[in-house]
Amino acid sequence: MTFKLRNWKTIFLAGALTVTLAACGGADDSASDEGTDNGDGAAGGEETYHWQFVTEEVQGQVQYEYAAEFADHLYEKSDGRITMDPFEFGALGSEVDQVEQLQSGAVEFAIVSPGFTGGMVAEGQVFALQFLFPDDQAVTQEILNSSEALNTQLAAMYEEQNIKPLAFWTEGAMAWTGNRELRTPADFEGFQMRTQASPLIQESYRAYGASPIDLSWGELYTSLDSGVVDGQENPIFFIEDASFHEVQSHLTISNHNNYVAMTTVNPDFYNGLPEDIRAMIDETVEEMQPIVFDMQTEMNEELLQAIIDDTDNPTEIIELTEEEREAFRELAMPLRDYFREQISEAGVEMFDLLEQEIAEAE
């Protein structure tokens, strides 16, 4: 399986044109109507559907390619009755804008990173806890696939906010980039670390001595280049494809966390669909889990090598030893108690069950 990548800077103009077309009526205004026939109907008189799927990444990156393949699967399953427009980051606003559009039903589907919803669903910040999930990516994905804590209990908390998670999946292990070496907690002292707008993520970096600053990723490249922030965390594929390594001198393979994304749908829209259409969606969600795992694995491996091979923008690669990781793990562990204090009683029950599931999987 091979995935063609394009650098984000080459598609900003295309994104701007998409926004213009949408504003001028280029997008189907009826796309968000529940169960609406948006055309003349299929050949046999069956109802047809046209939906929007927003992502937090751009063409060539995992989320967008997931959405595009998801759309292809549904089109084939439905014999052309279901069409979807995948939207890359920025086409319909910021990450926060996209969540609000999903909640209101302005778009039907979205890939959401829990880090951008931490102020809304505090329990969703569980994915910000560093060193929580196994180091083995395949084991982590299996937990995400099967966890009752996540797929039932946490999902219900999101549904109360008009967001229905259909699946959780990893985009790969997180790595750090910086304008200096990041090998020990002492290296984070006074370090301006870009984070998502999650109180728990920010508290995690304060525990290392860093000064967290939340920024949309659309502002990140220029902020790294100008020194507004000193570093950031992301999966390796994203670091390379967004060219962050070009404006950062060091990359630390820390494997301190996973970047977890959610496939989500507006629950009112979803619940209003005919049973056979919902079944197609559910089947597609299940089919995409191994596909996206292979996708992120290949992208992360290939683009790490691309960073290593980029002689025009030399980057020092640091791979932490287990002893070095342990120093960070010790500082991260107290954040689990902090997390428990920030969440509901039901959230604590969810977290207890998740820790049990992780222990059993390991």
Side-chain angles (χ1 to χ4, degrees):
M1 188 179 296
T2 302
F3 306 95
K4 185 177 180 181
L5 301 173
R6 292 199 299 158
N7 191 284
W8 68 279
K9 287 182 286 188
T10 68
I11 54 79
F12 268 151
L13 179 58
L17 289 172
T18 303
V19 174
T20 302
L21 288 170
C24 296
D28 188 341
D29 294 335
S30 63
S32 62
D33 292 344
E34 296 176 13
T36 297
D37 184 344
N38 296 316
D40 295 326
E46 294 178 308
E47 202 165 28
T48 59
Y49 304 86
H50 183 71
W51 303 328
Q52 295 179 329
F53 197 156
V54 296
T55 76
E56 297 169 351
E57 295 172 6
V58 300
Q59 291 185 42
Q61 296 176 349
V62 174
Q63 291 189 18
Y64 183 90
E65 299 307 322
Y66 172 102
E69 188 144 350
F70 192 101
D72 289 344
H73 277 235
L74 272 180
Y75 182 83
E76 292 174 6
K77 284 183 188 301
S78 66
D79 294 325
R81 293 172 60 199
I82 300 173
T83 55
M84 301 180 79
D85 291 329
F87 284 86
E88 59 191 9
F89 173 78
L92 298 179
S94 70
E95 301 94 337
V96 175
D97 294 331
Q98 292 176 175
V99 171
E100 292 175 350
Q101 290 158 5
L102 177 72
Q103 290 173 298
S104 69
V107 300
E108 291 82 11
F109 293 84
I111 297 176
V112 176
S113 301
F116 290 112
T117 58
M120 176 194 311
V121 182
E123 292 80 4
Q125 295 180 94
V126 67
F127 299 109
L129 288 168
Q130 300 188 10
F131 302 99
L132 175 63
F133 286 92
D135 293 343
D136 188 315
Q137 290 285 300
V139 176
T140 291
Q141 185 57 62
E142 180 54 38
I143 293 168
L144 296 175
N145 289 344
S146 61
S147 168
E148 179 184 345
L150 301 177
N151 292 287
T152 300
Q153 296 182 9
L154 180 60
M157 297 171 193
Y158 272 96
E159 196 154 355
E160 290 176 1
Q161 301 297 323
N162 228 31
I163 298 170
K164 181 178 178 64
L166 297 174
F168 298 89
W169 39 276
T170 178
E171 294 190 55
M174 300 283 263
W176 295 317
T177 67
N179 57 16
R180 63 177 188 243
E181 180 178 86
L182 295 172
R183 189 183 292 275
T184 71
D187 295 328
F188 276 97
E189 289 292 333
F191 191 85
Q192 302 287 321
M193 184 69 174
R194 179 267 176 176
T195 71
Q196 294 178 329
S198 161
L200 184 59
I201 295 177
Q202 294 167 358
E203 197 65 24
S204 297
Y205 282 103
R206 290 190 187 101
Y208 297 159
S211 299
I213 299 175
D214 68 273
L215 288 172
S216 168
W217 87 257
E219 305 172 61
L220 185 49
Y221 181 91
T222 55
S223 296
L224 292 169
D225 191 28
S226 64
V228 171
V229 292
D230 298 319
Q232 58 86 48
E233 62 172 4
N234 260 302
I236 288 171
F237 85 86
F238 195 90
I239 291 168
E240 197 281 340
D241 198 52
S243 301
F244 295 156
H245 68 293
E246 295 180 2
V247 289
Q248 297 268 266
S249 57
H250 293 72
L251 184 150
T252 301
I253 300 175
S254 52
N255 196 16
H256 61 280
N257 206 349
N258 288 268
Y259 195 99
V260 175
M262 302 187 294
T263 303
T264 67
V265 66
N266 177 280
D268 294 333
F269 155 78
Y270 176 85
N271 294 332
L273 291 171
E275 185 176 345
D276 65 321
I277 300 298
R278 290 201 307 271
M280 289 184 199
I281 294 170
D282 295 344
E283 185 176 64
T284 300
V285 168
E286 185 173 349
E287 289 172 351
M288 287 300 300
Q289 291 297 87
I291 291 172
V292 75
F293 184 79
D294 290 343
M295 187 186 296
Q296 65 84 16
T297 299
E298 182 174 330
M299 287 188 184
N300 280 301
E301 290 175 355
E302 289 187 358
L303 293 188
L304 174 59
Q305 191 60 49
I307 292 173
I308 293 170
D309 294 342
D310 187 354
T311 55
D312 292 332
N313 299 284
T315 304
E316 181 177 343
I317 308 296
I318 301 165
E319 186 164 3
L320 297 186
T321 66
E322 281 307 305
E323 184 178 355
E324 289 168 334
R325 292 180 73 233
E326 186 60 32
F328 288 102
R329 184 183 285 108
E330 288 179 5
L331 293 174
M333 289 302 290
L335 271 296
R336 301 189 188 189
D337 291 333
Y338 173 86
F339 175 66
R340 290 174 184 276
E341 293 168 2
Q342 306 303 311
I343 58 178
S344 64
E345 183 176 340
V348 172
E349 293 177 4
M350 178 274 297
F351 185 47
D352 288 343
L353 177 57
L354 178 60
E355 286 193 307
Q356 178 183 332
E357 291 169 336
I358 290 172
E360 291 172 354
E362 290 183 311

